[in-house]
Amino acid sequence: MSLSQKLHTRLTLATATVVLITAVVLTAEAVSTSAGTASQGLIVTAVILVLVAAALSWGLLRALLRPLSELEASLVSLQQQRVQLVEERDDARQHLEEMEKTLSRVGLEDALTGLANRRQFERGLQEEFNRAARTNLSLAIIMIDIDRFDQYNELYGRMAGDKVLRRVGSAIRDTNVRPEDLLSRFGTQEIAVLLPGSKLEGALIVAERIRKSIELLDIPHSASPTGRVTISIGISSVTPQRQVDEPDTVLRESEQALELARAGGRDCIRTVEDLRKSGAQP
């Protein structure tokens, strides 16, 4: 309340008090006097003064209540603003969480193929390796290479090469892989498949299914002996033991088996068992 409002309130209150006291005095005199006309006049005057005091009091009450009404309106407005701010904060938080999820997904996903990237594959391999060691289960890795991919890019251009990568990735994804299997673009032209709980025999069946699916794409490749895009595949499998086996070992064996498939004429599958039979050191 401002200084002028305080002064106005005090003057109104003082005036009403004086008027009320005067009315009381006049009423008392009217009661004590014996003259009828004079007594009635005093009573009328007292009533008028009481009414004036009541009017002043009512005005004072309204003046006092007006700031309270304004304060109440301000509080309602502030409450509405608070609700709006809370909603905006919640929307911003949700948007931020969605952004973080998107950034996290982008950081673990290959932009070209939509498959997991190498970082995600290595993280998944470590997790599944540790789980297999705890539960005494096996896991397998299928390493896939697009045969003569550099020559394909030279002949048909990089955009056509990117299209091949996308088609190969989609074909592998569509070969009835399990939800727990992890498909990753491991290198420029290499795709790795992590098969938790799979032994070598099961991984070999999956690998042949993948090889056949790429064959059925029938993508022309004039530099290939078959006249179409083919893939070579290397497979490794392990039932890890703590303090004995390492994730890098099974990964390296899949890469070495892939090299054996390349050396064997491509468009074929080689396993860690073939690697051992060849006398190569895993």
Side-chain angles (χ1 to χ4, degrees), residues 3 34 77 104 145 159 168 228:
L3 181 61
S34 58
S77 177
S104 177
D145 178 70
M159 290 185 65
V168 168
R228 52 179 168 72

Side-chain angles (χ1 to χ4, degrees), residues 38-207:
S39 176
Q40 290 180 355
L42 291 173
I43 291 174
V44 170
T45 302
V47 169
I48 294 173
L49 290 175
V50 168
L51 293 176
V52 171
L56 290 172
S57 299
W58 173 246
L60 177 61
L61 182 62
R62 291 187 62 186
L64 290 174
L65 290 178
R66 188 178 299 112
L68 293 177
S69 299
E70 294 174 354
L71 178 61
E72 182 180 6
S74 298
L75 289 174
V76 171
S77 177
L78 288 173
Q79 182 66 22
Q80 292 174 344
Q81 292 178 16
R82 179 181 178 276
V83 171
Q84 183 178 357
L85 288 173
V86 170
E87 291 176 351
E88 291 177 353
R89 182 201 64 189
D90 292 342
D91 291 341
R93 180 181 297 169
Q94 182 178 358
H95 181 67
L96 179 60
E97 290 175 353
E98 291 174 355
M99 288 282 291
E100 290 175 347
K101 291 178 181 178
T102 300
L103 290 173
S104 177
R105 185 174 63 253
V106 169
L108 299 173
E109 185 179 282
D110 177 61
L112 180 62
T113 62
L115 304 177
N117 59 19
R118 181 165 181 165
R119 176 186 174 191
Q120 173 67 351
F121 181 86
E122 291 175 345
R123 178 186 295 181
L125 174 59
Q126 184 67 58
E127 292 176 356
E128 293 299 336
F129 191 91
N130 292 337
R131 182 179 293 110
R134 290 195 307 269
T135 57
N136 197 32
L137 295 175
S138 59
L139 63 84
I141 295 177
I142 299 175
M143 190 66 68
I144 304 165
D145 178 70
I146 301 176
D147 296 329
R148 299 176 177 86
F149 186 70
D150 290 338
Q151 292 172 282
Y152 187 94
N153 281 335
E154 292 173 1
L155 288 169
Y156 300 97
R158 288 198 172 276
M159 290 185 65
D162 289 347
K163 185 176 180 180
V164 167
L165 282 169
R166 285 193 291 268
R167 292 187 64 186
V168 168
S170 296
I172 296 173
R173 190 188 292 114
D174 293 340
T175 55
N176 297 321
V177 293
R178 302 167 304 173
E180 63 267 27
D181 297 338
L182 179 60
L183 280 63
S184 165
R185 185 182 178 191
F186 194 77
T188 303
Q189 63 206 49
E190 293 175 338
I191 295 175
V193 183
L194 176 63
L195 304 173
S198 292
K199 295 184 179 181
L200 189 61
E201 296 79 8
L204 189 56
I205 295 172
V206 175

